[in-house]
Amino acid sequence: MLKNYLKIAFRSLLKSKSTSLINVLGLSTGIACCIIIFLFVQNETSFDKFHDKSDEIFRVLTIDEALGVSSNLVGITMPALGESMKNNFPEVENSVRMLTQGRQLITYDQQGYYSEHFAYAEPSLFEVFDFKLIDGDVDKALSEPNTVVLSESMAQRTFGTDDPIGKRVDIGGQTGLEVVAVMRDVNENSHLNFDVVVSMLQADTTSNFAQFIQSWRSISMTTYVQLNSPANESNVEGKMEELIRVNDVGENFSVTLQPLADVHLKSSGILFQNYNLSQTDINYVYTLAAVGLFVMLIASFNFMNLSTARSTNRAREVGVRKVFGAFRRQLINQFMVESVVICFLSLFIAIGFVTLVSPLVNLPIEENLAVYFLRNVEWLIGSVLFVLFLGLFSGSYPALMLSGFNPIGILRGSFKTSAKGVLLRKSLVIFQFTISIAMIIGTAIVYDQLQHQRNIDKGFDPEQIVTLNVGHPTLQQALPVFMNKLEEIPEVNKTARTAGMPGRTFGRNRVRPEGASAEDTWIISVFSFDDEFMDLMGMEIVDGRGYDRNMQTDQQQAVLINEAMAKELAWEDPVGKKLNFGQQETTVIGVVKDFHFTNMRHKIEPLAMRYNPNNGGSLAIKFAANDASGTIESIQAAWNEVFPNSPFEYRFFDEEFGQQYASDERFGKLVFSFTWLAIFIACLGLFGLSAFTAEQKTKEIGVRKVLGASISGIILLLSKQFSQLIGVAILLAVPVAYFLMKSWLGDFEYRVEIDWFWFVISAVVAMSIALITVTFQSVKAATTNPTNSLRCQ
């Protein structure tokens, strides 16, 4: 019996080639979209899951309620807290503290190499987390002072094929660090990523660093704790509050725990977590999952719509089968088998589509996405079950409805005038285009926000600037010589030393502003630079003056503040006001126009800028726009002359600053792509449905033409009902899109206002695409010879 069902199914597909093609193309596109989105969602939600104890691991966060702070949640805490929790809380099985330092110069045998992700850590790093050690003494890893663990790739870069164990390297200001172990490169699905880890243990327990890691007076340490049960989270949080109060931590600070599973997806509002480089927003994952569902629903409803419409042409066939003794169950099975066959055929084609577009999809998966998907047996079984369900679901309505008619009614053609069938098709079209139009509006507003982020006045000019890492002591010593060399390059306009750049995290300091109450706690962002930095960056002084190297008092007694700080303090005339950093009193000499130093989700906070002409781990170079590559070559030549044993590495500042928006940009591209695929699928269905409508009205069109109807009149007749459906879809889509996009924009401190222009444009685009789709079939029907039309039925 199954063989007979399959035979009839393939005959039916070949008999209605155009409808079958539309069904298969729409379904295969929808399934391909679902596979890609599923892989994206699976990748994002799998971060840090490779740790066996991932559900027991929590990150310690600090909440800062001080005046001057608008972004209260930070990814660091008091240095002494982690160890104290481990020693005093029975619920805490283990803890690990880390200090991430970013890029650092590693020197071995007078040759330098840059690490991308350098960190100090406690030995418990390899107990709490499952970072696998592949060489060396596992028990000795980080358990002794002045020891270092390298990643596999970093060890190969530094030592080549030589055995790295026992070798000694210099890192930053530390010399003679012993390599005691090599670890496998960190999994890409880890929010922590490091290639060099130095032991945090100190041989001299009286050193400044040893005192620092036992301090309760700063907020600077990345800390994780492992609980004996995830259920103890709230209990431990209560004890943490008591612990920091006992140790006289400021009342403006409180602490909380964040599950490890949330670090990657639920940290967009958290500052001071430069180690969480690949973080994204959980709302983006939810949105893309919803987009995948909607695309699949559109494709499924397309299939159902066309199957229902096409069933009317097979009504006589069903009637004849029932007259000859076919049972309703057999007819239902026939329709279901045909539906399932189309769905499985679409699955095979969808996998082919995924294979083709795999190189264009930016996912951290080394092999082809289709191969990666098919190699996972669980996913493969899941996709087969999903497609089987899709086939049964999509084929259920036409199968149950058509098989339920009595044969006399079917043979008389009463099914063709069924109001229920017409209502269903109209409802499905409205639903499809409501989703599609809402997605178009959403895509337009996302694009508008991304453009706003790119083009907003940032308070500085990021173009034609490169930055070099010059924090290593050996580089600092010869840096003036190098800067003099740069001045000899005609294309180099200016150089400046700075402790940081906008987009990198600035430190925060407790301050006491003039006029502030003694009970108030003020904490503000602070960074330092030389007297050339502001001019190089194109920053503007709106009141007072900038730093002057000829003013001897500027380095110790002067400070610049931004407009946000003057506003927060309600200083109408800020120049001359006093700002105390501990025991050091400084005088405000100027106010800098507000500039963005974090992304657009965060409000510009009060900022103090100190003068430090002889220090700073970064060198900024402003160059002429005419020959960037030639200028870089000249800078490299000067570098190699002054620092022959140190690698030359640079970053374009505009690209580095733009990395803050990488997650938003990727989200925008994905939504844009899948929105137009949804429109394409919906229009495929509309194309098939308009062809069916024209076919049903063939004789009517012929009669109208004989009676003198114009071609334009007939086109209007056929297009009118579809334009009405699209109009209803527009009315439904507008409030849905407005609500969703208003909620999305609420996450941005600096955002565009929702412009109704985008709603109008989206409606016009959707209506135009739909009418163009329908008009093609309408023109074809309207230009058919009426003699042939009247003869066709």
Side-chain angles (χ1 to χ4, degrees):
M1 184 62 73
L2 179 60
K3 181 179 179 181
N4 187 51
Y5 288 154
L6 292 171
K7 186 184 296 183
I8 295 174
F10 281 108
R11 284 177 181 172
S12 177
L13 289 175
L14 294 174
K15 184 177 179 181
S16 304
K17 294 183 179 66
S18 58
T19 304
S20 300
L21 179 63
I22 291 172
N23 275 334
V24 170
L25 186 57
L27 277 176
S28 58
T29 304
I31 294 172
C33 288
C34 271
I35 291 175
I36 293 172
I37 290 177
F38 167 78
L39 290 175
F40 172 83
V41 171
Q42 188 274 335
N43 176 72
E44 295 297 333
T45 55
S46 66
F47 265 70
D48 299 309
K49 296 288 180 66
F50 63 93
H51 300 294
D52 290 339
K53 297 164 285 194
S54 60
D55 61 331
E56 299 174 358
I57 302 172
F58 293 79
R59 178 170 67 159
V60 180
L61 304 178
T62 304
I63 304 169
D64 185 355
E65 299 290 351
L67 296 172
V69 175
S70 59
S71 298
N72 306 98
L73 200 58
V74 296
I76 49 180
T77 193
M78 305 93 196
L81 179 58
E83 185 178 34
S84 186
M85 289 174 66
K86 179 181 177 181
N87 294 335
N88 293 286
F89 299 168
E91 300 90 344
V92 177
E93 295 256 336
N94 210 339
S95 69
V96 58
R97 294 176 292 178
M98 298 177 61
L99 276 175
T100 55
Q101 303 289 306
R103 290 165 58 82
Q104 289 289 331
L105 184 63
I106 298 179
T107 305
Y108 172 70
D109 195 20
Q110 297 187 336
Q111 184 62 47
Y113 308 89
Y114 274 109
S115 70
E116 291 296 326
H117 309 288
F118 170 82
Y120 291 98
E122 293 181 299
S124 54
L125 173 70
F126 299 105
E127 299 169 4
V128 175
F129 296 102
D130 293 322
F131 298 118
K132 187 175 182 181
L133 297 175
I134 57 176
D135 194 9
D137 187 346
V138 175
D139 296 328
K140 191 178 178 181
L142 305 182
S143 61
E144 296 179 3
N146 299 318
T147 57
V148 59
V149 174
L150 302 180
S151 70
E152 188 175 12
S153 58
M154 192 68 207
Q156 290 175 351
R157 282 180 59 199
T158 308
F159 303 106
T161 57
D162 294 345
D163 183 6
I165 305 302
K167 300 281 197 309
R168 295 190 177 273
V169 295
D170 300 337
I171 304 176
Q174 293 182 276
T175 59
L177 299 176
E178 181 187 1
V179 179
V180 294
V182 175
M183 66 179 178
R184 193 177 303 282
D185 288 347
V186 176
N187 191 309
E188 289 188 343
N189 281 23
S190 169
H191 83 278
L192 287 173
N193 190 2
F194 36 76
D195 49 13
V196 177
V197 188
V198 172
S199 175
M200 194 177 282
L201 301 182
Q202 297 291 295
D204 181 4
T205 57
T206 62
S207 68
N208 289 336
F209 189 81
Q211 297 295 317
F212 160 73
I213 62 177
Q214 298 303 322
S215 168
W216 293 91
R217 296 291 174 265
S218 70
I219 308 297
S220 52
M221 187 71 71
T222 302
T223 303
Y224 298 85
V225 292
Q226 178 193 340
L227 306 186
N228 55 15
S229 171
N232 289 325
E233 177 184 355
S234 59
N235 185 34
V236 171
E237 286 180 330
K239 290 186 174 183
M240 290 165 65
E241 284 296 311
E242 296 175 6
L243 182 62
I244 64 173
R245 297 294 163 246
V246 169
N247 287 279
D248 297 325
V249 174
E251 292 292 331
N252 58 294
F253 292 118
S254 58
V255 287
T256 187
L257 296 176
Q258 181 187 36
L260 183 66
D262 291 350
V263 174
H264 174 66
L265 292 173
K266 298 181 180 179
S267 300
S268 58
I270 301 174
L271 289 180
F272 294 93
Q273 49 165 0
N274 289 346
Y275 50 90
N276 190 10
L277 297 175
S278 58
Q279 65 171 303
T280 189
D281 193 327
I282 185 65
N283 291 322
Y284 288 172
V285 177
Y286 289 153
T287 301
L288 286 170
V291 167
L293 175 63
F294 289 148
V295 169
M296 198 65 251
L297 282 176
I298 289 173
S300 179
F301 288 167
N302 249 4
F303 181 38
M304 184 183 291
N305 219 349
L306 291 175
S307 296
T308 306
R310 184 166 159 262
S311 294
T312 62
N313 292 334
R314 299 185 63 186
R316 196 175 300 274
E317 173 194 339
V318 173
V320 171
R321 285 176 178 273
K322 296 193 80 171
V323 167
F324 279 93
F327 294 107
R328 186 183 184 190
R329 174 176 52 81
Q330 293 173 315
L331 294 172
I332 291 174
N333 290 342
Q334 178 62 59
F335 277 99
M336 289 294 192
V337 168
E338 290 182 17
S339 178
V340 170
V341 166
I342 290 176
C343 287
F344 273 99
L345 181 60
S346 301
L347 174 62
F348 296 141
I349 295 174
I351 292 172
F353 285 166
V354 173
T355 303
L356 293 175
V357 303
S358 180
L360 306 177
V361 179
N362 184 24
L363 283 177
I365 298 172
E366 295 181 358
E367 59 188 328
N368 187 281
L369 293 182
V371 176
Y372 177 73
F373 179 79
L374 292 173
R375 277 202 308 107
N376 191 304
V377 178
E378 292 180 359
W379 296 348
L380 187 59
I381 293 174
S383 64
V384 169
L385 293 176
F386 170 75
V387 168
L388 181 61
F389 168 79
L390 180 65
L392 296 176
F393 171 74
S394 301
S396 59
Y397 181 80
L400 293 172
M401 183 177 63
L402 192 58
S403 63
F405 277 73
N406 67 71
I408 297 175
I410 294 177
L411 293 173
R412 285 178 177 174
S414 61
F415 182 73
K416 291 187 179 181
T417 59
S418 169
K420 291 182 179 179
V422 173
L423 179 62
L424 173 69
R425 289 193 288 275
K426 288 183 177 180
S427 300
L428 293 180
V429 169
I430 290 172
F431 180 82
Q432 288 175 307
F433 274 89
T434 298
I435 294 175
S436 300
I437 294 165
M439 289 174 66
I440 293 176
I441 295 170
T443 300
I445 294 174
V446 168
Y447 170 81
D448 199 21
Q449 174 63 23
L450 294 178
Q451 285 294 100
H452 178 67
Q453 290 183 171
R454 297 185 194 108
N455 301 327
I456 191 174
D457 180 10
K458 299 176 180 63
F460 54 82
D461 179 13
E463 303 296 327
Q464 279 77 56
I465 296 175
V466 295
T467 60
L468 309 180
N469 185 344
V470 292
H472 194 277
T474 59
L475 300 179
Q476 290 279 320
Q477 292 172 8
L479 189 58
V481 177
F482 176 62
M483 293 175 70
N484 289 333
K485 292 281 185 183
L486 293 179
E487 291 179 3
E488 299 173 3
I489 301 174
E491 293 81 10
V492 172
N493 296 333
K494 192 173 289 292
T495 61
R497 299 176 70 170
T498 175
M501 295 290 288
R504 303 177 190 173
T505 303
F506 295 157
R508 283 177 175 173
N509 281 33
R510 186 187 298 266
V511 297
R512 183 165 52 82
E514 179 181 328
S517 168
E519 289 77 26
D520 291 340
T521 300
W522 283 85
I523 292 181
I524 62 171
S525 297
V526 181
F527 86 118
S528 61
F529 45 72
D530 67 12
D531 52 299
E532 298 288 349
F533 180 76
M534 290 189 59
D535 187 30
L536 180 145
M537 295 293 294
M539 294 176 178
E540 181 182 347
I541 297 283
V542 295
D543 191 12
R545 66 174 179 86
Y547 288 121
D548 185 346
R549 67 176 60 191
N550 297 317
M551 299 287 292
Q552 299 297 319
T553 57
D554 274 6
Q555 187 165 354
Q556 297 297 325
Q557 302 176 22
V559 67
L560 294 172
I561 64 173
N562 65 351
E563 291 176 303
M565 185 166 181
K567 182 178 179 180
E568 191 81 15
L569 290 165
W571 283 349
E572 293 184 3
D573 187 14
V575 175
K577 298 287 187 181
K578 304 298 182 181
L579 196 63
N580 291 281
F581 294 83
Q583 300 301 314
Q584 184 182 25
E585 183 180 83
T586 61
T587 302
V588 176
I589 62 170
V591 178
V592 180
K593 180 181 176 181
D594 279 341
F595 61 89
H596 290 274
F597 53 93
T598 57
N599 62 40
M600 300 300 161
R601 295 175 184 271
H602 299 280
K603 183 180 179 181
I604 296 177
E605 293 186 345
L607 174 68
M609 291 150 277
R610 305 296 305 273
Y611 180 48
N612 195 339
N614 301 315
N615 197 4
S618 294
L619 179 68
I621 305 171
K622 184 81 170 181
F623 60 91
N626 54 347
D627 184 15
S629 59
T631 303
I632 296 299
E633 290 177 2
S634 299
I635 295 173
Q636 183 174 6
W639 176 278
N640 291 337
E641 184 178 344
V642 179
F643 309 115
N645 297 321
S646 298
F648 174 74
E649 295 187 8
Y650 64 93
R651 292 182 179 180
F652 285 106
F653 173 61
D654 57 343
E655 294 178 358
E656 180 186 350
F657 190 78
Q659 283 299 309
Q660 296 182 101
Y661 315 121
S663 178
D664 297 330
E665 294 282 352
R666 182 171 64 160
F667 172 73
K669 289 177 181 178
L670 287 171
V671 169
F672 178 84
S673 302
F674 291 122
T675 293
W676 289 110
L677 282 173
I679 288 289
F680 169 72
I681 295 170
C683 286
L684 272 179
L686 197 60
F687 181 84
L689 206 57
S690 61
F692 165 75
T693 301
E695 182 183 346
Q696 292 295 101
K697 292 179 177 290
T698 300
K699 186 168 289 188
E700 177 188 340
I701 292 170
V703 171
R704 287 178 178 274
K705 290 192 71 175
V706 169
L707 295 177
S710 64
I711 293 177
S712 59
I714 293 172
I715 293 173
L716 182 62
L717 171 71
L718 295 174
S719 304
K720 182 179 179 181
Q721 62 172 305
F722 291 106
S723 61
Q724 290 172 342
L725 298 179
I726 305 304
V728 173
I730 291 170
L731 293 177
L732 293 175
V734 166
V736 172
Y738 179 83
F739 172 78
L740 293 175
M741 296 316 298
K742 188 174 181 64
S743 175
W744 179 72
L745 287 172
D747 290 339
F748 295 88
E749 187 68 35
Y750 300 92
R751 55 184 177 267
V752 294
E753 294 297 325
I754 294 180
D755 193 339
W756 288 100
F757 168 79
W758 296 117
F759 290 82
V760 175
I761 287 296
S762 300
V764 170
V765 168
M767 183 67 79
S768 300
I769 292 174
L771 289 180
I772 290 171
T773 303
V774 172
T775 300
F776 178 83
Q777 292 291 351
S778 301
V779 170
K780 182 179 177 182
T783 55
T784 301
N785 190 316
T787 305
N788 296 332
S789 299
L790 294 172
R791 193 181 293 160
C792 77
Q793 290 186 351

